[in-house]
Amino acid sequence: MKLDPLSVPVRAAESVVRLAWLLVVAVIGSPALGGGISGPVTVVVAGFVVALAYQLVYYQRFEYELTDGTLDIASGVVSRRNREIPIGRVQNVDISRNVLQRAFGLAQINLETAGGSSTEASLRYVSHEEATRLQSELGRLKRDGTDRDPEDATPETELFSVTTKELALLGVVGVDLRLLSFATVLLPVVAPSLRERFGDPLLGLAVTAPLAAVGIVAVAALASGVIAIGNYYGFRLSRRNDELLYERGLLQRFSGTIPLGKVQTLTVSANVIARRLGYASLAVETAGYAPGDAGSQSAVPLAERDRVADLARSVEAFEPLELERPPKRARERYVIRYTVLALLAVGVAFAADSYTSLTFAWYVAVGLIPLAWLGAHLKWANLGYDVQSEYVVLQEGFWTRTITVVPYYRVQTVLDSQTVFQRGRRLATLVVDTAGSSGLTNRQPRALDIDADRADRLREEIADRLQRSVSQRRTRRRRERLRSIEAERPDDPDPVA
Amino acid sequence: MDETDSDRASDRPFGAELTPATRRVDGSRPAGSTPDIEELIGPEQTLEPQIQGVWALQSAVSAVILGLIAGVAFTLLDPGGPWVGVVVFAVVAVLGVAFSVLRYRIWAYHVRTDSLYLRRGVLTRVSTVAPYVRIQHVDTRRGPLERAFGLATTVVYTAGSRGADVSIPGLTPQRADDLQARLKQLAIAAEGDDAV
């Protein structure tokens, strides 16, 4: 099959737009052209014609075909590339349509596999109908590979759709509270000018600090609100057979499938504001995406905590959490670490006050020292892990608390590490590595600063449970295969032989 | 495949028993070809002592660079002179050698029944368990410095994001090949499943 013919002008236009910045530089750089706009126009037209010719060849030399077991793609103008992607290996199938593509009725379809560092196959562009056909066809073929259920037209069941309220809250919750700490860092820098205005530096600080904080939060909330609405407008999550389907986006529409059989880890995260309001978000991670490709993994952008927990349990049936905390001596580590940082800050402020012409209220920084204690406690209090029968659950983070659910079956390697400082307190960090792309938090699932002996035992225990779940799956698969052989040959009295 | 395997059987410790790369799909195997797992596993192993030389030389290179930077910088500055560079070089080099020795003493790997276990690290001590069911492929690698010292590295790949972390340096080429063959056999026997 070929791409949609309309993709030729659209792609050509896109490549011209992509080069537009060159044009801007050229126009600004050469004032001689200032007389008329004929120069730039000629460049644009010439560029478009060249791009059109190239894209026409690209279109002619691009072919794809969906067979029973593979998606075959032959592409390339100068260097040719023939690919066969086994359908059973396809992870996510995503469709995206920006405004231009929507105007032309086109869509881009991206296929992710676990191999490679980028999107495995990208069809740019096919008609929207063709994209949805491919998506559902891929889903159907994948299912046929695993179980032979002839029933096809399974309806979608809606799991979640975002309400206007949640969309608005998403903006508020999306504010990065760490911005506030930037404000406190910036304030001493602007303090001298404030002092001139107010006479008393402390008074100036007292008046402007809350104002600045409110201002920053307001601007950030507005910005993140706009981004949230752009990304998650009309968000809808539904389930069809063993796939999750999502749709989202205001200007650029995204829709895609997340195969449940390929889920690596689940992450429930909530920042301070979301926790206060009783909300959380859910991310479903597969092995498909390259690290850093965070946006597409989000399964539920924001919903009430209980709903998120229910949804998460419908994907992976983990038990209610009974988190174990790291030992109290872990907290001492953080107290020391943060106190050292606070003392450093005091030192820097004092040095700047004494040796530069800037005047700081350096003694204000002393207030950071008690905050170090608070911070240490909050960090400690938000750590936890729970070793369940099928899953290991790991929790970390105060500003954004993330709870990661890792099925033993998805574990790739287990490791525990001890830094010099941890050794002194008999603490260790246990890292559970999966094939998931961990793009959302960019941090591996880990249990930070647990007892060293416990980490030692847990490492072996998790590896053992992995073995057990692999062999369980193997037995189940064999049994299923035998059953399906039996079903195919009803006349045979002894199908096993 | 069969021919090359039997050709090389003499210099491969497990050559005679190597199972073909293609297995019967149903998981059962013809009698007699089952690899004896007991024979493949072994006690905890240490690296070859020559690896200390490789590591020491590697740290010497960074000591030279740091020494040069410090030397040039302090020649231009008022207090100090080129001798600072020498001091920096000496300190970094001594530290490097000390770390190489310590790292060698701590490094250990263990081919266990169902997983490969590694312990390493001087300042941050790391113990890794890589189950055979998760092994994707096993490489043997020899860099120029390793070749000069007659050493090789075995790298075990999993689908995990830290896959390349599971590498065992400081083996003789024979040991590296032997380990690669063992791990390959163990991975086949484990009937792995990449779970992606």
Side-chain angles (χ1 to χ4, degrees):
Chain A
M1 307 233 343
K2 289 212 171 271
L3 299 175
D4 196 281
L6 274 175
S7 70
V8 177
V10 171
R11 282 172 60 102
E14 272 176 358
S15 53
V16 169
V17 169
R18 224 173 291 139
L19 289 176
W21 62 270
L22 262 183
L23 200 70
V24 172
V25 171
V27 171
I28 293 170
S30 54
L33 283 172
I37 51 157
S38 59
V41 168
T42 327
V43 173
V44 170
V45 171
F48 186 73
V49 169
V50 171
L52 204 62
Y54 178 83
Q55 297 302 347
L56 197 64
V57 182
Y58 179 89
Y59 165 77
Q60 275 176 343
R61 307 214 64 185
F62 194 105
E63 287 212 35
Y64 67 92
E65 196 191 350
L66 190 62
T67 68
D68 267 357
T70 58
L71 176 70
D72 303 345
I73 299 176
S75 64
V77 175
V78 179
S79 65
R80 298 280 296 165
R81 186 177 180 193
N82 291 324
R83 265 175 298 177
E84 274 185 31
I85 304 165
I87 283 161
R89 289 297 184 187
V90 171
Q91 302 262 346
N92 304 43
V93 182
D94 296 312
I95 297 173
S96 75
R97 315 170 65 205
N98 64 23
V99 181
L100 184 68
Q101 290 153 15
R102 278 161 75 184
F104 282 91
L106 296 176
Q108 170 174 352
I109 182 161
N110 282 347
L111 248 78
E112 310 283 348
T113 63
S117 55
S118 57
T119 298
E120 186 57 46
S122 179
L123 302 184
R124 291 179 306 149
Y125 303 100
V126 291
S127 66
H128 188 223
E129 299 81 63
E130 172 65 5
T132 34
R133 184 194 73 86
L134 270 175
Q135 197 180 42
S136 61
E137 196 72 352
L138 279 167
R140 189 184 63 78
L141 288 168
K142 226 185 296 181
R143 251 190 331 281
D144 281 355
T146 49
D147 64 46
R148 284 133 209 259
D149 199 4
E151 183 187 16
D152 193 33
T154 322
E156 286 178 31
T157 44
E158 183 173 292
L159 297 175
F160 176 80
S161 72
V162 79
T163 61
T164 323
K165 185 184 159 206
E166 280 159 345
L167 209 55
L169 273 176
L170 201 56
V172 177
V173 167
V175 178
D176 198 334
L177 278 184
R178 276 166 291 195
L179 279 174
L180 282 181
S181 51
F182 278 117
T184 48
V185 170
L186 280 175
L187 272 175
V189 179
V190 295
S193 66
L194 295 174
R195 208 174 62 114
E196 282 162 23
R197 199 156 298 167
F198 286 95
D200 183 5
L202 269 182
L203 180 71
L205 209 61
V207 171
T208 42
L211 277 178
V214 167
I216 287 170
V217 169
V219 170
L222 203 67
S224 72
V226 169
I227 293 170
I229 290 170
N231 274 337
Y232 292 110
Y233 177 82
F235 182 92
R236 203 169 150 271
L237 185 77
S238 54
R239 184 176 180 157
R240 187 174 60 204
N241 296 316
D242 45 8
E243 280 186 327
L244 291 179
L245 297 114
Y246 70 84
E247 267 174 60
R248 63 185 176 88
L250 181 64
L251 294 177
Q252 183 162 14
R253 289 293 288 174
F254 296 91
S255 68
T257 57
I258 307 168
L260 287 176
K262 296 199 181 289
V263 170
Q264 295 280 335
T265 60
L266 290 183
T267 310
V268 178
S269 59
N271 64 13
V272 183
I273 313 170
R275 284 211 296 279
R276 268 243 117 350
L277 299 171
Y279 281 78
S281 67
L282 173 70
V284 174
E285 212 171 82
T286 62
Y289 294 106
D293 234 355
S296 345
Q297 297 166 343
S298 184
V300 174
L302 192 74
E304 281 103 18
R305 201 181 298 139
D306 300 340
R307 248 181 112 193
V308 167
D310 287 346
L311 274 172
R313 281 217 183 86
S314 73
V315 177
E316 296 283 0
F318 58 97
E319 294 150 30
L321 300 185
E322 281 170 37
L323 291 172
E324 265 180 79
R325 289 250 144 79
K328 282 231 167 69
R329 53 184 194 276
R331 190 168 52 183
E332 292 165 23
R333 268 195 77 197
Y334 311 141
V335 169
I336 293 173
R337 186 191 296 168
Y338 293 158
T339 309
V340 167
L341 283 178
L343 287 175
L344 269 177
V346 173
V348 168
F350 180 71
D353 183 51
S354 325
Y355 298 109
T356 65
S357 55
L358 294 171
T359 30
F360 282 86
W362 66 270
Y363 36 85
V364 173
V366 176
L368 287 173
I369 294 169
L371 276 182
W373 288 73
L374 181 67
H377 176 74
L378 287 175
K379 182 175 171 71
W380 176 79
N382 280 293
L383 289 173
Y385 62 97
D386 185 10
V387 181
Q388 304 188 344
S389 56
E390 300 274 327
Y391 304 91
V392 54
V393 184
L394 307 158
Q395 178 184 298
E396 189 181 349
F398 164 70
W399 290 112
T400 303
R401 187 202 281 158
T402 55
I403 300 171
T404 314
V405 180
V406 185
Y408 294 122
Y409 178 65
R410 301 292 175 183
V411 172
Q412 295 282 342
T413 54
V414 198
L415 54 106
D416 71 277
S417 66
Q418 272 187 301
T419 64
V420 184
F421 306 111
Q422 284 178 316
R423 272 211 292 283
R425 293 178 196 279
R426 301 193 326 283
L427 296 171
T429 297
L430 187 77
V431 178
V432 184
D433 191 19
T434 65
S437 26
S438 68
L440 202 69
T441 49
N442 228 343
R443 134 196 326 164
Q444 282 168 319
R446 61 178 189 173
L448 191 66
D449 284 325
I450 60 176
D451 182 74
D453 297 330
R454 181 93 173 103
D456 218 42
R457 267 177 287 130
L458 268 182
R459 186 189 64 227
E460 299 304 322
E461 192 183 329
I462 290 173
D464 285 346
R465 288 184 191 239
L466 157 67
Q467 300 288 351
R468 234 173 295 154
S469 70
V470 168
S471 70
Q472 266 170 18
R473 288 217 175 197
R474 196 153 51 210
T475 333
R476 206 185 316 151
R477 257 205 313 273
R478 279 205 190 130
R479 210 174 297 141
E480 269 169 21
R481 204 178 299 134
L482 285 180
R483 209 179 300 137
S484 71
I485 292 170
E486 239 169 303
E488 271 172 24
R489 293 188 294 175
D491 322 324
D492 199 331
D494 187 9
V496 186
Chain B
M1 178 79 207
D2 276 344
E3 245 179 45
T4 46
D5 265 4
S6 54
D7 282 351
R8 288 154 75 185
S10 49
D11 52 57
R12 290 266 182 151
F14 305 97
E17 289 179 0
L18 280 180
T19 45
T22 49
R23 270 183 300 125
R24 284 174 56 186
V25 192
D26 60 2
S28 68
R29 54 183 85 245
S33 78
T34 317
D36 191 357
I37 288 173
E38 288 304 314
E39 240 172 72
L40 298 171
I41 63 174
E44 198 164 282
Q45 305 272 329
T46 55
L47 309 182
E48 299 295 326
Q50 295 97 294
I51 189 68
Q52 297 169 85
V54 176
W55 286 332
L57 268 182
Q58 277 168 355
S59 61
V61 172
S62 43
V64 167
I65 293 170
L66 283 175
L68 278 177
I69 293 173
V72 171
F74 277 90
T75 316
L76 300 176
L77 285 175
D78 199 23
W83 58 270
V84 179
V86 179
V87 170
V88 167
F89 167 76
V91 169
V92 177
V94 166
L95 276 180
V97 170
F99 267 73
S100 305
V101 173
L102 282 176
R103 203 192 297 179
Y104 165 72
R105 295 224 176 126
I106 292 162
W107 237 109
Y109 69 92
H110 190 181
V111 181
R112 306 192 296 192
T113 320
D114 47 21
S115 58
L116 177 67
Y117 171 79
L118 313 178
R119 193 179 58 230
R120 64 203 184 282
V122 179
L123 289 181
T124 300
R125 197 155 302 165
V126 183
S127 316
T128 309
V129 174
Y132 301 136
V133 282
R134 291 293 186 252
I135 290 181
Q136 299 271 337
H137 64 278
V138 188
D139 274 2
T140 300
R141 205 158 56 188
R142 302 190 73 191
L145 204 56
E146 284 177 309
R147 275 210 296 272
F149 279 81
L151 293 175
T153 302
T154 297
V155 189
V156 177
Y157 290 89
T158 66
S161 40
R162 282 214 174 179
D165 259 8
V166 187
S167 64
I168 304 172
L171 303 170
T172 59
Q174 295 82 3
R175 266 180 85 191
D177 283 348
D178 167 72
L179 183 66
Q180 191 181 12
R182 278 171 199 250
L183 290 176
K184 178 183 143 195
Q185 287 233 338
L186 287 164
I188 292 169
E191 292 188 49
D193 187 347
D194 56 13
V196 293

